[in-house]
Amino acid sequence: MRVLIMVLSSYKKPYDEMYRLQRKTWDSVDHPMVDTVYYFADEYEKMHIPFIECLRNVWCGDWDVIFRTNSSSYVDKELLYNYIKDKDINKMWISSNDEQMSGCGFFMSRDLLKILLDKKYPKKHEAEDMYIAHTIHNVTGCLPKAGERSQYNHIEKVYEKCYHIRCKDDDRENDLKAMQHIFETIK
């Protein structure tokens, strides 16, 4: 099974710095079965549009499932692959149990993603993750299975080892420090 990590980022500060740090830290680690692509969106109500465009651009690529996450995430590619490699990829949707799933990251298989490509989507929507969740649920009746994730504790500078570590804090400088700290700890 091949995995494509799709990372939502932005050209605006501080997200541009987060993008560069992701490239220097976790995304600099090669894995033969995991690739990464970044896409950029700045307008909250239109983030689903660059997601769909990116999905169209990578559709013919060599991958079976995507893992969609964002700029405040640290991904351990080896743990990610080990977590997903033996799972059934038919109607795979692994996320959190709430409809705002982007920050926690989600896995989705091609058959479900094809629904998103075939749907006409609105020019504006509340949020990309909610649009994706509503569309998939309304068309298939599927609900996501709970995945795993760890939250970086910015005060104690600790986290649980996991394929996806959320580094979100009110101060984005702390997110950058957390990402660097995790990378230095893991390597």
Side-chain angles (χ1 to χ4, degrees), residues 57-64 110:
N57 289 336
V58 299
W59 191 254
C60 293
D62 184 17
W63 55 270
D64 301 295
R110 274 189 186 262

Side-chain angles (χ1 to χ4, degrees), residues 22-185:
Q22 283 179 316
R23 300 287 309 249
K24 288 180 185 175
T25 59
W26 66 264
D27 197 24
S28 70
V29 178
D30 289 329
H31 190 284
M33 302 304 284
V34 180
D35 293 310
T36 308
V37 64
Y38 293 83
Y39 65 101
F40 299 84
D42 291 320
E43 294 181 62
Y44 184 74
E45 297 85 9
K46 295 182 181 180
M47 289 182 172
H48 59 289
I49 296 171
F51 173 80
I52 297 296
E53 289 172 1
C54 182
L55 192 56
R56 286 188 200 290
N57 289 336
V58 299
W59 191 254
C60 293
D62 184 17
W63 55 270
D64 301 295
V65 299
I66 64 150
F67 179 70
R68 166 33 192 103
T69 193
N70 62 18
S71 58
S72 61
S73 296
Y74 188 97
V75 179
D76 184 313
K77 291 178 184 178
E78 185 67 30
L79 293 178
L80 178 105
Y81 184 73
N82 288 338
Y83 174 79
I84 202 72
K85 69 181 180 183
D86 296 324
K87 301 229 184 315
D88 182 4
I89 60 170
N90 183 33
K91 291 189 177 177
M92 177 197 288
W93 182 11
I94 301 172
S95 180
S96 69
N97 290 330
D98 67 34
E99 56 188 21
Q100 288 197 319
M101 60 189 180
S102 70
C104 70
F106 65 89
F107 290 97
M108 197 169 279
S109 57
R110 274 189 186 262
D111 55 346
L112 295 180
L113 292 164
K114 179 79 168 106
I115 293 166
L116 296 173
L117 289 182
D118 292 344
K119 283 300 258 183
K120 291 192 182 213
Y121 51 93
K123 292 185 181 189
K124 286 191 171 189
H125 199 275
E126 289 181 56
E128 165 198 23
D129 47 359
M130 292 174 70
Y131 168 75
I132 293 166
H134 290 163
T135 301
I136 297 300
H137 178 69
N138 289 339
V139 171
T140 67
C142 289
L143 291 171
K145 295 179 182 164
E148 297 177 5
R149 99 174 201 203
S150 175
Q151 181 74 35
Y152 186 87
N153 180 321
H154 290 275
I155 295 168
E156 297 177 19
K157 298 184 179 4
V158 296
Y159 59 92
E160 291 180 34
K161 192 172 180 180
C162 185
Y163 62 81
H164 180 241
I165 304 164
R166 188 85 193 271
C167 300
K168 189 172 182 179
D169 186 64
D170 291 335
D171 180 351
R172 292 299 189 174
E173 284 297 316
N174 287 339
D175 299 347
L176 293 165
K177 290 175 187 172
M179 223 176 283
Q180 188 67 44
H181 176 249
I182 295 166
F183 182 67
E184 290 170 2
T185 303

Side-chain angles (χ1 to χ4, degrees), residues 10-17 20:
S10 171
Y11 293 113
K12 293 181 179 177
K13 286 193 173 290
Y15 304 102
D16 60 335
E17 295 171 39
R20 284 192 293 276

